[in-house]
Every structure is written in C-alpha cells, then in structure tokens.
Amino acid sequence: MVTEVFVRQLVSRVVAGMQTQSGESGPVEISGRHVHLSQAHVDALFGVGHQLTLERAISQPGQFLSRERVRLAGPKGILENVAVLGPVRRDTQAELSATDARQLGVNAPLRMSGDLREAADLVILAGDKVVHALGSAIIARNHIHMTPADAERFRVAHLEPVSVRVQGERSLVFENVPVRVDEKCKLAMHIDIDEANACLCGKDALGILLRRSAGFACNGPE
C-alpha cells in the first residue's frame, strides 16, 4: 500500500527544487462552469425583486447552488443548464474552463475570481429573457482557500503562490497556485474540470502542498 509519507518522499526526489511545506494534505474540489449574477441581472432574467432559491449549500461558508439555471451564449456556441451560485454579487461573473471558452468562441482571460480585467463578453439567457453581460467571462484560476489558522499550519501567506501535487490516476503538480486566506472560508483547493480531467482525479482527491526552494521566482496572482 502506498502511504502518504511515501508519496511525499517520492515527490521530494522527483520534483526538482521542491519540498513539502508541512507534511499535510488538503481536499481538492472540482469546480464546474458556473455564474455569479448581480441583482440587476437576476431581476432582468427572473423578474424584478427575484431572490435566488437555495438548492443546496456548497463547501465555502455562505455560498450555495441555486435552483435557477441559465444558458451562456457566445459567437460559436451555447452552454446549456449552467449553474448559478449565490448569493448575488456586485458584478456578474461567468467562471469557465478553457474548453468552455473555446466552445463559446470567447477570448476569456485566466483570472482569479473577482478579477474581471479584460474579461470577455457573453450573452446570458433564462427562458426568453436575455442580458448582455459585458466583461464577465473568465477562465477561473486554480487557488487554495485557507483560514488564518490553516495558513499558519501550512506556513504560507495570503496570495503566496505555491505548488500543489494533486493526486489522481495521473497525478500532476500545479504551480503558481495562489493561497487565499480568509476567516470566512473552508480549506480546499479549487480546480476546474479541464484540470481535473488532466490528472484524472475524483471528487475525493487530495493535494499535497509543495514549495519551491529558496531563490525560485514565480509570478503572483493576477
């Protein structure tokens, strides 16, 4: 039986310049395509004053999958039955995979959630209602949510880029993964469906936090 200790030792030998941070692992969650809507766009799509209806809570505290669904349209295609996550946000944001963006025909940039610089335009539909969501589509950058206590345990700082080995049938090391530290969160790394398929990991995947050796320079989150 391959133990976690053995995996960590193997990573240390094979991945040049890396070492484990804390000897601990954390959950890896696969984030499918979804949208966050502003209240103005909720009103336009579902009726003035409409409130998103909770279907089930998701892992990050205070966030939920709603019963509402939308379609996303771009120059080359349409994505059906796209999840809407609540609560509402100030700005509408569609978080896509690179495959999704190609299917829609939009040039969505790789960005952290909430960073809509140069985001692509989309059309969002619900029934016969349509909104033009200008500057809303991004390819969601992988990241790790941590509480301050988690960050202390893993010895990392807010927005510090780290490397993570995600275990799967063809395990991969993801580099320059930013850490997002917030008291109102739950420990988890988020990757998109393309990344999950690349390493063939399932819903119970684990990630081992790695760190480049001293002197390695890497870019922080955009």
Side-chain angles (χ1 to χ4, degrees), residues 108-126:
L110 181 67
R111 293 282 186 267
M112 289 286 289
S113 177
D115 182 356
L116 297 178
R117 290 176 296 120
E118 302 174 337
D121 301 339
L122 278 181
V123 173
I124 304 177
L125 307 98

Side-chain angles (χ1 to χ4, degrees), residues 24-192:
E24 297 188 57
S25 60
V28 176
E29 297 177 345
I30 303 167
S31 181
R33 70 177 76 105
H34 61 272
V35 298
H36 303 275
L37 295 174
S38 67
Q39 186 59 52
H41 283 167
V42 171
D43 291 346
L45 292 168
F46 302 105
V48 176
H50 183 87
Q51 300 296 307
L52 295 178
T53 309
L54 184 148
E55 181 170 304
R56 62 174 172 83
I58 58 177
S59 64
Q60 293 306 308
Q63 299 186 35
F64 61 91
L65 173 67
S66 75
R67 293 180 184 173
E68 290 77 10
R69 296 292 186 274
V70 296
R71 290 174 289 156
L72 302 181
K76 292 185 178 180
I78 296 177
L79 297 175
E80 303 281 353
N81 197 37
V82 176
V84 177
L85 299 189
V88 295
R89 291 196 178 183
R90 184 188 67 179
D91 300 308
T92 290
Q93 173 178 290
E95 298 188 29
L96 309 172
S97 69
T99 299
D100 294 332
R102 284 193 292 271
Q103 183 175 339
L104 291 170
V106 298
N107 186 24
L110 181 67
R111 293 282 186 267
M112 289 286 289
S113 177
D115 182 356
L116 297 178
R117 290 176 296 120
E118 302 174 337
D121 301 339
L122 278 181
V123 173
I124 304 177
L125 307 98
D128 62 352
K129 304 298 184 183
V130 179
V131 297
H132 295 272
L134 303 179
S136 64
I138 62 171
I139 296 172
R141 184 172 182 173
N142 55 30
H143 55 279
I144 306 173
H145 290 286
M146 288 189 186
T147 64
D150 293 326
E152 183 176 357
R153 177 161 56 93
F154 283 98
R155 293 178 293 175
V156 295
H158 180 56
L159 297 184
E160 178 179 346
V162 298
S163 296
V164 181
R165 183 178 181 87
V166 176
Q167 300 185 71
E169 289 188 60
R170 38 183 202 201
S171 297
L172 293 175
V173 173
F174 292 93
E175 297 187 343
N176 292 334
V177 180
V179 174
R180 306 189 78 170
V181 179
D182 192 312
E183 291 181 353
K184 299 177 181 179
C185 72
K186 180 180 178 181
L187 177 64
M189 179 180 177
H190 285 175
I191 61 176
D192 70 20

